[in-house]
Amino acid sequence: MPSIGMMNSSLPNGLTMSKEINRIGSHYSVTLDLWNAAWQERRQKILSLGYSNRFIRKWEFYFVLCSALFEYGNINVAQISFVKEF
């Protein structure tokens, strides 16, 4: 995961990072919960496509783990704008 400082220091001349950074991790937690619910609703269909229980459990773990990490602020997602100077 890139750091804000590293991205900012590696920008070419004439390009700057906006001061406003929109952190949306708490919203992403809700998204992962919805994905997990949809995944659970379609579990039998996924199995019928030939995927293993192990494969399904890996995705269940991913959805639940990432949701918790986002919800408690251990990881985040950000929208960042860059401005080109003319």
Side-chain angles (χ1 to χ4, degrees):
M1 296 186 153
S3 73
I4 300 294
M6 185 57 74
M7 285 190 298
N8 207 17
S9 67
S10 64
L11 293 174
N13 290 334
L15 191 64
T16 58
M17 185 182 297
S18 171
K19 301 286 185 226
E20 185 176 323
I21 297 173
N22 188 14
R23 290 173 176 81
I24 59 172
S26 60
H27 302 292
Y28 205 63
S29 177
V30 174
T31 300
L32 284 155
D33 292 341
L34 292 170
W35 287 347
N36 189 35
W39 184 260
Q40 297 303 322
E41 289 173 12
R42 292 165 182 83
R43 189 175 221 279
Q44 289 306 313
K45 179 165 182 155
I46 296 165
L47 286 168
S48 74
L49 294 171
Y51 292 99
S52 68
N53 277 315
R54 184 176 180 187
F55 175 82
I56 289 172
R57 285 192 311 271
K58 284 181 182 182
W59 277 100
E60 289 170 349
F61 178 76
Y62 170 81
F63 291 136
V64 173
L65 173 66
C66 288
S67 174
L69 290 172
F70 281 111
E71 183 175 345
Y72 292 101
N74 295 93
I75 58 177
N76 214 329
V77 174
Q79 294 174 328
I80 304 168
S81 298
F82 296 89
V83 179
K84 183 173 181 167
E85 299 169 8
F86 294 97

